[in-house]
Amino acid sequence: MKPDRLEALRHHLYAQGTCSIEELASATGASVATIRRDLTTLEQQGIVSRTHGGARIAAGAQIEVAFSVRERQQLAEKRAIAAKAYDLIRPQSSVFLDAGTTVLQLARRLRVSPMPLTIFTNGLMVAQELMNVPQLRVTLLGGQLRSENASLVGPAAEAMLDRLWFDQLFLGASAIGDDGGIYSVDASEASLNDRMMERSAAVTVLADASKFGRRTTYLVAMLAPPMRVISDKQLAAARQRRLREAGVDLVIAPDTLGPTPSAPTP
């Protein structure tokens, strides 16, 4: 039935990212012609964007694609941003790493170049990355598992934050609007992110250029001094200027990175 097939298409694009029409036909057992008609329907609904020979979930569809897919997007930019963020971390401090995919790249940088830190996170992937790393004391928040972002959220996580204080917070973003708002696609995630910011002395937002000029449903907070934003060179000059005029400390990561350090021997 068509409704079931449309749901199958949405689920496959959520899990796999950009797919060809042939891939979607194989996944659903429908003909290529049928898939073309279905994609036209989903495009008219604002759910998908057509690509050359395929489709992907539309940027404004309010549907969060799978963590494993988002992790691979803008990977070079995320690694460059993470390298700049790493340079800001002070040894012997307490640091909160949120569950975003760019923050995950920062966790990977810490894995290969550790320093004495007390780290808290609500990200399962971040915690897994930092297991058994010398010099790092890692605490994972409790809470409700949100599988779309491999994160822990909800009242239990927020209550735990109320008893903690962090020197630095490194926060990802689903979207950053031209109004200066940091946005999330999930209410629980937005609420927890806001509480993280309240419990941190310094807030650094890690967001590649593709996150700017967009808004999703739930406002986390407004960008304001003394917050810092680290992005990449693809960020439009006009947006860079607006951020700096608003008093935000904007750092632009370089295009390329130096050699990646070797991971420590277990």
Side-chain angles (χ1 to χ4, degrees):
M1 295 178 63
K2 185 174 181 178
D4 293 338
R5 194 172 61 249
L6 294 179
E7 177 62 27
L9 287 172
R10 288 194 294 267
H11 180 78
H12 194 77
L13 289 169
Y14 158 83
Q16 303 298 325
T18 301
C19 296
S20 69
I21 290 175
E22 289 75 14
E23 288 177 281
L24 294 170
S26 176
T28 59
S31 69
V32 168
T34 297
I35 294 300
R36 290 184 191 277
R37 290 193 296 271
D38 288 346
L39 290 177
T40 297
T41 298
L42 292 173
E43 187 176 38
Q44 291 170 347
Q45 295 173 355
I47 294 173
V48 306
S49 293
R50 298 292 291 273
T51 63
H52 181 68
R56 62 172 179 266
I57 296 292
Q62 305 294 317
I63 296 173
E64 187 175 26
V65 298
F67 186 96
S68 59
V69 174
R70 289 183 286 114
E71 183 187 352
R72 299 192 299 268
Q73 295 171 342
Q74 284 79 43
L75 185 56
E77 291 85 352
K78 290 175 179 177
R79 286 174 173 166
I81 290 168
K84 293 297 289 186
Y86 175 87
D87 292 340
L88 300 174
I89 297 177
R90 302 184 301 274
Q92 306 294 346
S93 63
S94 60
V95 176
F96 196 100
L97 303 179
D98 99 317
T101 56
T102 307
V103 179
L104 177 61
Q105 295 303 319
L106 175 56
R108 288 176 174 160
R109 182 76 180 197
L110 282 166
R111 181 174 181 82
V112 297
S113 300
M115 65 181 82
L117 291 173
T118 300
I119 294 178
F120 292 81
T121 184
N122 70 317
L124 294 178
M125 299 299 292
V126 170
Q128 183 175 11
E129 196 67 36
L130 298 179
M131 284 178 59
N132 301 319
V133 177
Q135 305 185 78
L136 301 183
R137 296 178 58 195
V138 181
T139 299
L140 179 65
L141 295 191
Q144 179 182 352
L145 176 61
R146 183 170 174 262
S147 58
E148 295 89 345
N149 202 37
S151 60
L152 294 161
V153 298
E158 293 187 22
M160 187 173 178
L161 284 179
D162 288 341
R163 301 177 64 86
L164 300 169
W165 180 256
F166 314 107
D167 296 310
Q168 293 174 284
L169 164 65
F170 292 93
L171 180 70
S174 297
I176 298 179
D178 285 335
D179 61 349
I182 305 168
Y183 289 89
S184 174
V185 298
D186 180 77
S188 297
E189 198 95 41
S191 179
L192 186 65
N193 287 350
D194 181 53
R195 191 69 61 89
M196 293 172 191
M197 296 172 73
E198 292 176 353
R199 305 302 299 168
S200 302
V203 176
T204 301
V205 179
L206 309 185
D208 67 80
S210 71
K211 302 295 180 63
F212 287 80
R214 299 170 45 201
R215 283 188 286 189
T216 51
T217 304
Y218 300 99
L219 177 67
V220 176
M222 301 299 293
L223 288 171
M227 294 169 63
R228 177 185 290 114
V229 173
I230 306 180
S231 191
D232 61 83
K233 287 189 173 181
Q234 301 304 314
L235 183 62
R239 290 198 171 105
Q240 294 189 34
R241 184 174 60 252
R242 282 198 295 271
L243 287 169
R244 291 189 169 112
E245 288 173 349
V248 175
D249 181 9
L250 176 63
V251 178
I252 298 298
D255 288 329
T256 57
L257 299 176
T260 301
S262 300
T265 302

